Amino acid sequence: MSIEILSLAGFIIAIILGSIRSDINTGIISIALAFGIGFYAAGFSIYEISSFFPSELFLILVGITLMFYMAKDNGTLEKITRFAIWLTKGKSYLIPILLFALASILSAIGAGNIAAVAIIAPIGMPIAYKFKINPLLSSIMICTGANAGTFSPISPTGIINQSLMKGIGIEDSSLWFEIFLLTLILQSLAAIAAYFLFKGYKKQDHIDHDKHLNHLHLRSPPKDNS
């Protein structure tokens, strides 16, 4: 069996195991299979196999991911999101736009599209439901927003994109920016189309803004009485 077929089979095995077993890390399985296939099938030395590991890319991704998960776990990102939604003052037609903007900004500044959805969706979807916004529209706005920022030069996907482009000899940094900009434009157009298709601009019946926000623990910031 050729090394190409073995590599593809190992990749498929890693994905399947990672999908059916939540307690197994797909990355660790992939590294183990890569060493096994490289050493026993391809005849590489341990040093040669280790040299293939993208240590610079790995450290960048780990650092950015660690920073954002710390911000998520200590409640910083959640508080920012809640405060931004509070600023809509019960205007239902602004909430889909806000969900798109929040997801795209978080994704672009380093969280990435998957983490941005994981941060925004648990807060944005219940709020959209309470404000009688089409749940499909809310989902589309969050997902398109997250994808809009995914090719930012400091997001995980953008970093991987730059690394792959460098690997094939493309060093033009303006091209990386063009990819990010075009992705942002296309995802924004999709969000705009969904906004009008699902009538996100349509005002809902009068909603007790403070009542619903309090129910969702989105209370107004305390007033400064000093």
Side-chain angles (χ1 to χ4, degrees):
M1 187 179 293
S2 67
I3 187 66
E4 292 83 3
I5 298 298
L6 281 174
S7 299
L8 181 59
F11 180 67
I12 294 172
I13 290 171
I15 292 176
I16 293 174
L17 287 176
S19 300
I20 63 178
R21 292 285 301 274
S22 59
D23 59 332
I24 296 178
N25 187 289
T26 306
I28 293 176
I29 297 174
S30 300
I31 291 174
L33 289 172
F35 268 88
I37 294 171
F39 186 78
Y40 292 106
F44 292 125
S45 67
I46 298 297
Y47 175 79
E48 288 175 318
I49 297 172
S50 300
S51 67
F52 295 136
F53 188 80
S55 55
E56 182 179 353
L57 174 62
F58 176 76
L59 287 174
I60 293 172
L61 291 173
V62 168
I64 291 176
T65 304
L66 176 62
M67 181 184 69
F68 272 91
Y69 270 90
M70 286 178 63
K72 178 184 176 183
D73 288 343
N74 65 24
T76 300
L77 296 179
E78 183 178 350
K79 288 179 180 178
I80 293 172
T81 302
R82 291 176 183 274
F83 179 71
I85 293 173
W86 174 82
L87 290 176
T88 62
K89 298 294 185 182
K91 295 174 179 149
S92 60
Y93 59 90
L94 291 178
I95 290 179
I97 299 173
L98 181 65
L99 293 177
F100 176 86
L102 284 172
S104 60
I105 291 171
L106 281 178
S107 179
I109 63 176
N113 56 339
I114 296 174
V117 171
I119 293 167
I120 300 297
I123 302 170
M125 292 304 291
I127 290 171
Y129 173 78
K130 288 294 182 182
F131 283 82
K132 301 178 182 179
I133 298 169
N134 189 314
L136 181 56
L137 172 61
S138 303
S139 301
I140 292 173
M141 299 302 281
I142 293 172
C143 292
T144 53
N147 289 331
T150 194
F151 280 106
S152 162
I154 58 174
S155 72
T157 308
I159 293 169
I160 293 173
N161 177 56
Q162 292 179 53
S163 176
L164 292 174
M165 291 175 67
K166 285 182 179 179
I168 60 175
I170 300 176
E171 299 286 346
D172 186 3
S173 59
S174 64
L175 183 57
W176 307 338
F177 179 75
E178 286 178 20
I179 293 173
F180 166 55
L181 185 61
L182 289 173
T183 303
L184 175 63
I185 292 172
L186 289 173
Q187 294 295 328
S188 298
L189 290 175
I192 292 170
Y195 184 78
F196 286 99
L197 179 64
F198 293 101
K199 299 180 180 179
Y201 55 85
K202 189 176 180 180
K203 292 184 179 180
Q204 302 298 334
D205 297 333
H206 176 72
I207 298 170
D208 189 336
H209 174 255
D210 290 329
K211 177 183 176 181
H212 284 302
L213 292 187
N214 286 336
H215 176 73
L216 293 165
H217 306 292
L218 295 174
R219 295 179 177 82
S220 304
K223 294 180 180 180
D224 186 359
N225 295 322
S226 58

